[in-house]
């Protein structure tokens, strides 16, 4: 019985369809790559499910994808005998985009076709690419194992809605018919479709077939009879799993097309590594580093991971157990001979084979990045711009590889004061002054706040380089990365500067003399700021600024407090150490002030200035403005 329903597309689908039609016109033929790729995935999924339920094959275990065309009707049909879909599955998969980051993706679209086509590539094109060339798309499908009466018909002109109806479909799987636009009839040509399949789908392990017409009986050149041949379906692709072939026999183009097949990315990959390992464990891995970050990169809950095959049988997508979260951008597959065919995510979680493979694949991925960084620094900078913040999660997550990850990190520094994050820890160590034992860094709200921080004054004067960090994750990173190659990382805003042998005896003596002479001033300021600061000291780091605030050793930094507050976490009360610069004219003026109330006001003003410089904000800005106005008024008298 017919049960036709009309459904409206999800808003994002409408937008995507519009963009498909208007932005990807320069490379229309990718629709066939996408639809054939989806059909091959459906066959892979059936093969896996049939391992535990042979009845799903319905007596036909010969999996394949077929592409046919009707020139007169102007149609192209892509059919498979894979897993198929139920009515609910059709509505869910062909009416909505479940991808996280969807809204953010659409917020980036500019309306400029060339730019938008690149963004669509990062998002993934998939089934909806059919509408690049089709004015109407008809889908007939039935889920494997369901009766013929539970077939489903889906139809849409790619505008606001689609219809779904029940049909009888004797064979399992999905058949997609594209009713081509009048200007796209070139795709109703057999030869054109064959060339596209050969170009894009040669790596697919399921046979992609087209019908080859038979020939009538004919006379040969010597008068002999050439018998008639019957028409038959012939494979257009090698139909051999690409990763099982010899590396020397696979072209770069084939590797890139396979990357697009497994990642649904529109752009080429940056680098790949194809390895076959034999011995204690036997497996093949093919890993790719993408060139562009997807829009859901910072959603740590989004599915990620490698495609898992066991003895060339597809088992699951997004097997996250083989790749740590900080490498979630790595795409690819692993084909293991040591895991059972009926392996589940739960079994993978605590499996020793899985743990060993994870360690090996993590090292391989890091090795790929190290090779890019060494051989092509410019290409590595391009990678860093896309994925650097994700890689910074590594030291906290992967203690065993902390040193290797640290070597891949890039920062801005006072070496050139540029905001460009191009300096490695290796570069920094190579430029360290003789006798320097620490790697100095500062974490601030922005690059400008970091580069202009008063905490850098003495270090600049001595020519000591400081790493400038201003990304939200930097404070988290630095809490888990305390040293590199035996050199401690030291914050210039925490505790003492600890210059060690970089501080000569004359400097030390001068510093001690100033501190001794300012003892009385320090005590007066302590009394004036009682309850507001943990301590008052004579500074060892300022040359041009009257005062600054410093976090005590072992206490939570300003940036970490901000991170905790942003996450809604309770933050313990802490008071800063207030450092004064007695040689600054303002502090000299303060030292000579006899009026204790005026002295207290000046002390408070200098403290709040220092806190504003350090935090970028004050707990009570209006009180600061009131105090400042009061001081300005009194200076006019």
């Amino acid at each position: 019985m017919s049960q036709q329903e009309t459904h409206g597309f999800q808003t994002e689908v409408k937008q995507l369809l519009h963009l498909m039609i208007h932005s990807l016109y320069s490379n229309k033929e990718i629709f066939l790559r996408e639809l054939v790729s989806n059909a091959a995935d459906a066959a892979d999924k059936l093969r896996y499910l049939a391992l535990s339920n042979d009845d799903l094959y319905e007596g036909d275990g010969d999996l394949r994808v077929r592409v046919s065309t009707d020139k007169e009707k102007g149609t192209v049909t892509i059919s498979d005998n894979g897993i198929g879909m139920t009515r609910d599955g059709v509505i869910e998969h062909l009416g909505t985009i479940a991808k996280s980051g969807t809204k953010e993706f659409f917020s980036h679209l500019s309306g400029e076709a060339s730019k938008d086509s690149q963004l669509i590539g990062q998002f993934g094109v998939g089934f909806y690419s059919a509408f690049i060339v089709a004015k109407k798309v008809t889908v007939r499908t039935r889920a494997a194992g369901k009766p013929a009466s539970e077939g489903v018909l889906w139809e849409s002109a790619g505008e606001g809605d689609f219809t779904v109806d029940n049909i009888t479909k004797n064979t399992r799987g999905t058949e997609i018919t594209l009713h081509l636009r009048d200007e796209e009839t070139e795709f109703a040509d057999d030869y054109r479709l064959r060339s596209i399949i050969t170009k894009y789908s040669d790596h697919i392990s399921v046979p992609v077939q087209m019908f080859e017409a038979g020939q009538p009986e004919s006379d040969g050149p010597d008068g002999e009879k050439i018998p008639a041949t019957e028409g038959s379906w012939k494979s257009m692709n090698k139909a051999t799993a690409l990763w099982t072939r010899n590396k020397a026999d696979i072209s770069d183009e084939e590797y890139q097309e396979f990357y697009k097949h497994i990642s649904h990315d529109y752009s080429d990959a940056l680098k790949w590594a194809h390895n076959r390992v034999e011995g204690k464990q036997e497996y093949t891995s093919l890993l790719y580093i993408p060139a562009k970050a997807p829009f859901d990169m910072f959603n740590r809950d989004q599915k990620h991971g490698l495609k898992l095959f066991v003895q060339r049988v597809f088992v699951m997508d997004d097997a996250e157990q083989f790749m740590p979260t900080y490498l979630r951008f790595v795409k690819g597959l692993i084909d293991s001979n040591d895991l059972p065919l009926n392996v589940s995510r739960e079994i993978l979680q605590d499996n020793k084979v899985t743990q060993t493979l994870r360690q090996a694949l993590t090292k391989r991925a890091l090795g790929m990045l190290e090779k890019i960084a060494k051989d092509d620094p410019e290409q590595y900078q391009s990678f860093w711009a896309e994925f650097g913040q994700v890689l910074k999660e590594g030291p906290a997550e992967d203690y065993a590889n902390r040193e290797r990850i640290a070597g891949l990190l890039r920062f801005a520094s006072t070496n050139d004061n540029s905001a460009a994050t191009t300096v490695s820890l290796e570069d920094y160590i190579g430029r360290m002054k003789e006798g320097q034992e620490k790697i100095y860094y500062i974490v601030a709200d922005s690059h400008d706040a970091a580069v202009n921080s008063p905490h850098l004054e003495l270090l600049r004067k001595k020519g000591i380089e400081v790493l400038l960090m201003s990304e939200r994750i930097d404070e988290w990173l630095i809490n888990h990365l305390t040293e590199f190659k035996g050199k401690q990382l030291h914050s210039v805003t925490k505790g003492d500067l600890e210059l060690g042998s970089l501080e000569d005896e004359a400097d030390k003596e001068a510093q001690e003399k100033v501190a001794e002479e300012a003892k009385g001033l320090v005590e007066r300021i302590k009394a004036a700021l009682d309850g507001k600061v943990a301590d008052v000291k004579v500074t060892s780091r300022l040359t041009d600024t009257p005062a600054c605030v410093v976090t005590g050793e072992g206490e939570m930094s300003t940036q970490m407090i901000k991170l905790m507050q942003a996450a809604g976490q309770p933050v313990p009360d802490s008071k800063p150490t207030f450092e004064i610069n007695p040689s600054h004219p303002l502090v000299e003026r303060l030292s000579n002030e006899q009026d204790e109330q005026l002295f207290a006001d000046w002390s408070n003003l200098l403290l709040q200035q220092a806190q504003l410089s350090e935090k970028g904000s004050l707990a009570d800005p209006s009180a600061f403005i009131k105090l400042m106005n009061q001081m300005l008024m009194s200076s006019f008298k």
Side-chain angles (χ1 to χ4, degrees), residues 361-385:
L361 293 171
T362 299
K363 285 177 179 173
R364 185 148 291 139
L366 293 174
M368 290 164 73
L369 294 175
E370 286 165 348
K371 188 162 171 48
I372 301 173
K374 183 184 174 188
D375 298 346
D376 193 341
E378 199 172 304
Q379 192 180 56
Y380 188 76
Q381 279 306 130
S382 156
F383 159 81
W384 181 256

PDB file of all heavy atoms in Angstrom, residues 361-385:
ATOM      1  N   LEU A 361      51.186   3.112  15.149  1.00  0.00           N
ATOM      2  CA  LEU A 361      50.581   4.067  14.209  1.00  0.00           C
ATOM      3  C   LEU A 361      50.797   5.506  14.678  1.00  0.00           C
ATOM      4  O   LEU A 361      50.990   6.413  13.864  1.00  0.00           O
ATOM      5  CB  LEU A 361      49.085   3.775  14.063  1.00  0.00           C
ATOM      6  CG  LEU A 361      48.759   2.430  13.381  1.00  0.00           C
ATOM      7  CD1 LEU A 361      47.272   2.121  13.489  1.00  0.00           C
ATOM      8  CD2 LEU A 361      49.191   2.434  11.922  1.00  0.00           C
ATOM      9  N   THR A 362      50.785   5.722  15.990  1.00  0.00           N
ATOM     10  CA  THR A 362      51.056   7.062  16.529  1.00  0.00           C
ATOM     11  C   THR A 362      52.474   7.491  16.152  1.00  0.00           C
ATOM     12  O   THR A 362      52.697   8.612  15.684  1.00  0.00           O
ATOM     13  CB  THR A 362      50.884   7.076  18.058  1.00  0.00           C
ATOM     14  OG1 THR A 362      49.537   6.717  18.371  1.00  0.00           O
ATOM     15  CG2 THR A 362      51.186   8.444  18.640  1.00  0.00           C
ATOM     16  N   LYS A 363      53.435   6.576  16.342  1.00  0.00           N
ATOM     17  CA  LYS A 363      54.823   6.887  15.989  1.00  0.00           C
ATOM     18  C   LYS A 363      54.968   7.159  14.489  1.00  0.00           C
ATOM     19  O   LYS A 363      55.718   8.037  14.080  1.00  0.00           O
ATOM     20  CB  LYS A 363      55.736   5.737  16.421  1.00  0.00           C
ATOM     21  CG  LYS A 363      55.969   5.712  17.924  1.00  0.00           C
ATOM     22  CD  LYS A 363      56.816   4.548  18.370  1.00  0.00           C
ATOM     23  CE  LYS A 363      57.018   4.603  19.889  1.00  0.00           C
ATOM     24  NZ  LYS A 363      57.685   3.422  20.410  1.00  0.00           N
ATOM     25  N   ARG A 364      54.220   6.376  13.697  1.00  0.00           N
ATOM     26  CA  ARG A 364      54.297   6.581  12.238  1.00  0.00           C
ATOM     27  C   ARG A 364      53.745   7.951  11.848  1.00  0.00           C
ATOM     28  O   ARG A 364      54.321   8.657  11.032  1.00  0.00           O
ATOM     29  CB  ARG A 364      53.537   5.471  11.523  1.00  0.00           C
ATOM     30  CG  ARG A 364      53.655   5.543  10.013  1.00  0.00           C
ATOM     31  CD  ARG A 364      53.613   4.170   9.391  1.00  0.00           C
ATOM     32  NE  ARG A 364      54.828   3.426   9.718  1.00  0.00           N
ATOM     33  CZ  ARG A 364      54.855   2.136  10.049  1.00  0.00           C
ATOM     34  NH1 ARG A 364      53.731   1.458  10.128  1.00  0.00           N
ATOM     35  NH2 ARG A 364      55.979   1.541  10.321  1.00  0.00           N
ATOM     36  N   ALA A 365      52.610   8.348  12.456  1.00  0.00           N
ATOM     37  CA  ALA A 365      52.007   9.653  12.148  1.00  0.00           C
ATOM     38  C   ALA A 365      52.949  10.790  12.561  1.00  0.00           C
ATOM     39  O   ALA A 365      53.156  11.752  11.809  1.00  0.00           O
ATOM     40  CB  ALA A 365      50.663   9.793  12.857  1.00  0.00           C
ATOM     41  N   LEU A 366      53.559  10.658  13.751  1.00  0.00           N
ATOM     42  CA  LEU A 366      54.506  11.688  14.203  1.00  0.00           C
ATOM     43  C   LEU A 366      55.730  11.722  13.276  1.00  0.00           C
ATOM     44  O   LEU A 366      56.260  12.798  12.973  1.00  0.00           O
ATOM     45  CB  LEU A 366      54.934  11.413  15.651  1.00  0.00           C
ATOM     46  CG  LEU A 366      53.836  11.573  16.715  1.00  0.00           C
ATOM     47  CD1 LEU A 366      54.343  11.135  18.078  1.00  0.00           C
ATOM     48  CD2 LEU A 366      53.328  13.015  16.777  1.00  0.00           C
ATOM     49  N   GLY A 367      56.154  10.553  12.821  1.00  0.00           N
ATOM     50  CA  GLY A 367      57.283  10.487  11.891  1.00  0.00           C
ATOM     51  C   GLY A 367      56.984  11.197  10.581  1.00  0.00           C
ATOM     52  O   GLY A 367      57.856  11.882  10.017  1.00  0.00           O
ATOM     53  N   MET A 368      55.738  11.071  10.089  1.00  0.00           N
ATOM     54  CA  MET A 368      55.341  11.770   8.855  1.00  0.00           C
ATOM     55  C   MET A 368      55.452  13.282   9.048  1.00  0.00           C
ATOM     56  O   MET A 368      55.955  14.003   8.177  1.00  0.00           O
ATOM     57  CB  MET A 368      53.899  11.407   8.490  1.00  0.00           C
ATOM     58  CG  MET A 368      53.713   9.989   8.008  1.00  0.00           C
ATOM     59  SD  MET A 368      51.958   9.507   8.033  1.00  0.00           S
ATOM     60  CE  MET A 368      51.311  10.435   6.650  1.00  0.00           C
ATOM     61  N   LEU A 369      54.984  13.747  10.221  1.00  0.00           N
ATOM     62  CA  LEU A 369      55.022  15.192  10.493  1.00  0.00           C
ATOM     63  C   LEU A 369      56.462  15.676  10.639  1.00  0.00           C
ATOM     64  O   LEU A 369      56.813  16.764  10.160  1.00  0.00           O
ATOM     65  CB  LEU A 369      54.223  15.506  11.759  1.00  0.00           C
ATOM     66  CG  LEU A 369      52.709  15.244  11.667  1.00  0.00           C
ATOM     67  CD1 LEU A 369      52.036  15.462  13.007  1.00  0.00           C
ATOM     68  CD2 LEU A 369      52.072  16.129  10.595  1.00  0.00           C
ATOM     69  N   GLU A 370      57.298  14.881  11.297  1.00  0.00           N
ATOM     70  CA  GLU A 370      58.719  15.253  11.439  1.00  0.00           C
ATOM     71  C   GLU A 370      59.395  15.346  10.073  1.00  0.00           C
ATOM     72  O   GLU A 370      60.219  16.229   9.833  1.00  0.00           O
ATOM     73  CB  GLU A 370      59.430  14.221  12.316  1.00  0.00           C
ATOM     74  CG  GLU A 370      59.076  14.348  13.797  1.00  0.00           C
ATOM     75  CD  GLU A 370      59.475  13.133  14.626  1.00  0.00           C
ATOM     76  OE1 GLU A 370      59.818  12.077  14.048  1.00  0.00           O
ATOM     77  OE2 GLU A 370      59.437  13.239  15.869  1.00  0.00           O
ATOM     78  N   LYS A 371      59.028  14.452   9.181  1.00  0.00           N
ATOM     79  CA  LYS A 371      59.624  14.456   7.839  1.00  0.00           C
ATOM     80  C   LYS A 371      59.210  15.709   7.060  1.00  0.00           C
ATOM     81  O   LYS A 371      60.025  16.352   6.412  1.00  0.00           O
ATOM     82  CB  LYS A 371      59.205  13.189   7.085  1.00  0.00           C
ATOM     83  CG  LYS A 371      59.925  13.008   5.753  1.00  0.00           C
ATOM     84  CD  LYS A 371      59.823  11.588   5.251  1.00  0.00           C
ATOM     85  CE  LYS A 371      60.341  11.409   3.845  1.00  0.00           C
ATOM     86  NZ  LYS A 371      61.644  12.003   3.576  1.00  0.00           N
ATOM     87  N   ILE A 372      57.914  16.075   7.165  1.00  0.00           N
ATOM     88  CA  ILE A 372      57.458  17.311   6.498  1.00  0.00           C
ATOM     89  C   ILE A 372      58.203  18.506   7.076  1.00  0.00           C
ATOM     90  O   ILE A 372      58.695  19.374   6.346  1.00  0.00           O
ATOM     91  CB  ILE A 372      55.932  17.526   6.660  1.00  0.00           C
ATOM     92  CG1 ILE A 372      55.143  16.363   6.081  1.00  0.00           C
ATOM     93  CG2 ILE A 372      55.497  18.826   5.977  1.00  0.00           C
ATOM     94  CD1 ILE A 372      53.639  16.415   6.359  1.00  0.00           C
ATOM     95  N   ALA A 373      58.305  18.568   8.419  1.00  0.00           N
ATOM     96  CA  ALA A 373      58.961  19.706   9.085  1.00  0.00           C
ATOM     97  C   ALA A 373      60.419  19.830   8.656  1.00  0.00           C
ATOM     98  O   ALA A 373      60.935  20.940   8.471  1.00  0.00           O
ATOM     99  CB  ALA A 373      58.866  19.545  10.596  1.00  0.00           C
ATOM    100  N   LYS A 374      61.090  18.689   8.481  1.00  0.00           N
ATOM    101  CA  LYS A 374      62.510  18.700   8.117  1.00  0.00           C
ATOM    102  C   LYS A 374      62.709  18.991   6.624  1.00  0.00           C
ATOM    103  O   LYS A 374      63.545  19.813   6.246  1.00  0.00           O
ATOM    104  CB  LYS A 374      63.121  17.345   8.469  1.00  0.00           C
ATOM    105  CG  LYS A 374      64.616  17.263   8.197  1.00  0.00           C
ATOM    106  CD  LYS A 374      65.146  15.869   8.481  1.00  0.00           C
ATOM    107  CE  LYS A 374      66.613  15.773   8.065  1.00  0.00           C
ATOM    108  NZ  LYS A 374      67.115  14.392   8.147  1.00  0.00           N
ATOM    109  N   ASP A 375      61.925  18.328   5.777  1.00  0.00           N
ATOM    110  CA  ASP A 375      62.152  18.417   4.326  1.00  0.00           C
ATOM    111  C   ASP A 375      61.507  19.628   3.677  1.00  0.00           C
ATOM    112  O   ASP A 375      61.981  20.113   2.656  1.00  0.00           O
ATOM    113  CB  ASP A 375      61.629  17.147   3.624  1.00  0.00           C
ATOM    114  CG  ASP A 375      62.363  15.898   4.083  1.00  0.00           C
ATOM    115  OD1 ASP A 375      63.427  16.054   4.718  1.00  0.00           O
ATOM    116  OD2 ASP A 375      61.879  14.785   3.818  1.00  0.00           O
ATOM    117  N   ASP A 376      60.384  20.083   4.251  1.00  0.00           N
ATOM    118  CA  ASP A 376      59.646  21.180   3.605  1.00  0.00           C
ATOM    119  C   ASP A 376      59.032  22.084   4.674  1.00  0.00           C
ATOM    120  O   ASP A 376      57.826  22.015   4.951  1.00  0.00           O
ATOM    121  CB  ASP A 376      58.555  20.602   2.690  1.00  0.00           C
ATOM    122  CG  ASP A 376      57.969  21.650   1.756  1.00  0.00           C
ATOM    123  OD1 ASP A 376      58.122  22.857   2.036  1.00  0.00           O
ATOM    124  OD2 ASP A 376      57.352  21.268   0.739  1.00  0.00           O
ATOM    125  N   PRO A 377      59.875  22.951   5.308  1.00  0.00           N
ATOM    126  CA  PRO A 377      59.370  23.816   6.397  1.00  0.00           C
ATOM    127  C   PRO A 377      58.165  24.661   5.990  1.00  0.00           C
ATOM    128  O   PRO A 377      57.277  24.916   6.806  1.00  0.00           O
ATOM    129  CB  PRO A 377      60.577  24.705   6.730  1.00  0.00           C
ATOM    130  CG  PRO A 377      61.766  23.910   6.280  1.00  0.00           C
ATOM    131  CD  PRO A 377      61.307  23.152   5.067  1.00  0.00           C
ATOM    132  N   GLU A 378      58.137  25.082   4.731  1.00  0.00           N
ATOM    133  CA  GLU A 378      57.025  25.922   4.268  1.00  0.00           C
ATOM    134  C   GLU A 378      55.716  25.127   4.279  1.00  0.00           C
ATOM    135  O   GLU A 378      54.673  25.618   4.709  1.00  0.00           O
ATOM    136  CB  GLU A 378      57.324  26.419   2.845  1.00  0.00           C
ATOM    137  CG  GLU A 378      56.494  27.631   2.472  1.00  0.00           C
ATOM    138  CD  GLU A 378      56.935  28.230   1.139  1.00  0.00           C
ATOM    139  OE1 GLU A 378      58.132  28.569   0.991  1.00  0.00           O
ATOM    140  OE2 GLU A 378      56.077  28.329   0.255  1.00  0.00           O
ATOM    141  N   GLN A 379      55.787  23.872   3.809  1.00  0.00           N
ATOM    142  CA  GLN A 379      54.606  23.012   3.815  1.00  0.00           C
ATOM    143  C   GLN A 379      54.184  22.705   5.253  1.00  0.00           C
ATOM    144  O   GLN A 379      52.993  22.639   5.560  1.00  0.00           O
ATOM    145  CB  GLN A 379      54.910  21.709   3.068  1.00  0.00           C
ATOM    146  CG  GLN A 379      53.666  20.882   2.777  1.00  0.00           C
ATOM    147  CD  GLN A 379      53.993  19.597   2.045  1.00  0.00           C
ATOM    148  OE1 GLN A 379      54.791  18.790   2.511  1.00  0.00           O
ATOM    149  NE2 GLN A 379      53.378  19.383   0.893  1.00  0.00           N
ATOM    150  N   TYR A 380      55.179  22.568   6.145  1.00  0.00           N
ATOM    151  CA  TYR A 380      54.858  22.296   7.545  1.00  0.00           C
ATOM    152  C   TYR A 380      54.137  23.487   8.173  1.00  0.00           C
ATOM    153  O   TYR A 380      53.206  23.318   8.967  1.00  0.00           O
ATOM    154  CB  TYR A 380      56.108  21.951   8.355  1.00  0.00           C
ATOM    155  CG  TYR A 380      55.749  21.488   9.748  1.00  0.00           C
ATOM    156  CD1 TYR A 380      55.235  20.213   9.957  1.00  0.00           C
ATOM    157  CD2 TYR A 380      55.854  22.341  10.840  1.00  0.00           C
ATOM    158  CE1 TYR A 380      54.844  19.789  11.226  1.00  0.00           C
ATOM    159  CE2 TYR A 380      55.468  21.925  12.111  1.00  0.00           C
ATOM    160  CZ  TYR A 380      54.967  20.646  12.291  1.00  0.00           C
ATOM    161  OH  TYR A 380      54.555  20.239  13.548  1.00  0.00           O
ATOM    162  N   GLN A 381      54.547  24.700   7.797  1.00  0.00           N
ATOM    163  CA  GLN A 381      53.869  25.892   8.310  1.00  0.00           C
ATOM    164  C   GLN A 381      52.410  25.912   7.873  1.00  0.00           C
ATOM    165  O   GLN A 381      51.525  26.319   8.624  1.00  0.00           O
ATOM    166  CB  GLN A 381      54.573  27.173   7.834  1.00  0.00           C
ATOM    167  CG  GLN A 381      55.801  27.542   8.634  1.00  0.00           C
ATOM    168  CD  GLN A 381      55.552  27.646  10.131  1.00  0.00           C
ATOM    169  OE1 GLN A 381      56.272  27.068  10.947  1.00  0.00           O
ATOM    170  NE2 GLN A 381      54.518  28.369  10.531  1.00  0.00           N
ATOM    171  N   SER A 382      52.171  25.446   6.649  1.00  0.00           N
ATOM    172  CA  SER A 382      50.799  25.362   6.141  1.00  0.00           C
ATOM    173  C   SER A 382      50.011  24.352   6.982  1.00  0.00           C
ATOM    174  O   SER A 382      48.860  24.592   7.361  1.00  0.00           O
ATOM    175  CB  SER A 382      50.840  24.952   4.669  1.00  0.00           C
ATOM    176  OG  SER A 382      49.661  24.341   4.275  1.00  0.00           O
ATOM    177  N   PHE A 383      50.640  23.211   7.298  1.00  0.00           N
ATOM    178  CA  PHE A 383      50.005  22.212   8.169  1.00  0.00           C
ATOM    179  C   PHE A 383      49.748  22.810   9.555  1.00  0.00           C
ATOM    180  O   PHE A 383      48.663  22.655  10.125  1.00  0.00           O
ATOM    181  CB  PHE A 383      50.902  20.967   8.302  1.00  0.00           C
ATOM    182  CG  PHE A 383      50.597  20.140   9.518  1.00  0.00           C
ATOM    183  CD1 PHE A 383      49.548  19.242   9.512  1.00  0.00           C
ATOM    184  CD2 PHE A 383      51.336  20.300  10.698  1.00  0.00           C
ATOM    185  CE1 PHE A 383      49.234  18.496  10.653  1.00  0.00           C
ATOM    186  CE2 PHE A 383      51.031  19.565  11.834  1.00  0.00           C
ATOM    187  CZ  PHE A 383      49.973  18.659  11.809  1.00  0.00           C
ATOM    188  N   TRP A 384      50.757  23.506  10.101  1.00  0.00           N
ATOM    189  CA  TRP A 384      50.653  24.051  11.455  1.00  0.00           C
ATOM    190  C   TRP A 384      49.504  25.048  11.565  1.00  0.00           C
ATOM    191  O   TRP A 384      48.785  25.080  12.569  1.00  0.00           O
ATOM    192  CB  TRP A 384      51.975  24.709  11.858  1.00  0.00           C
ATOM    193  CG  TRP A 384      51.927  25.255  13.251  1.00  0.00           C
ATOM    194  CD1 TRP A 384      51.802  26.562  13.635  1.00  0.00           C
ATOM    195  CD2 TRP A 384      51.972  24.491  14.471  1.00  0.00           C
ATOM    196  NE1 TRP A 384      51.755  26.656  15.003  1.00  0.00           N
ATOM    197  CE2 TRP A 384      51.866  25.401  15.548  1.00  0.00           C
ATOM    198  CE3 TRP A 384      52.085  23.139  14.746  1.00  0.00           C
ATOM    199  CZ2 TRP A 384      51.872  24.990  16.875  1.00  0.00           C
ATOM    200  CZ3 TRP A 384      52.099  22.731  16.077  1.00  0.00           C
ATOM    201  CH2 TRP A 384      51.986  23.658  17.116  1.00  0.00           C
ATOM    202  N   ALA A 385      49.320  25.855  10.529  1.00  0.00           N
ATOM    203  CA  ALA A 385      48.233  26.842  10.541  1.00  0.00           C
ATOM    204  C   ALA A 385      46.872  26.151  10.653  1.00  0.00           C
ATOM    205  O   ALA A 385      45.939  26.677  11.263  1.00  0.00           O
ATOM    206  CB  ALA A 385      48.287  27.692   9.271  1.00  0.00           C
TER     207      ALA A 385
END
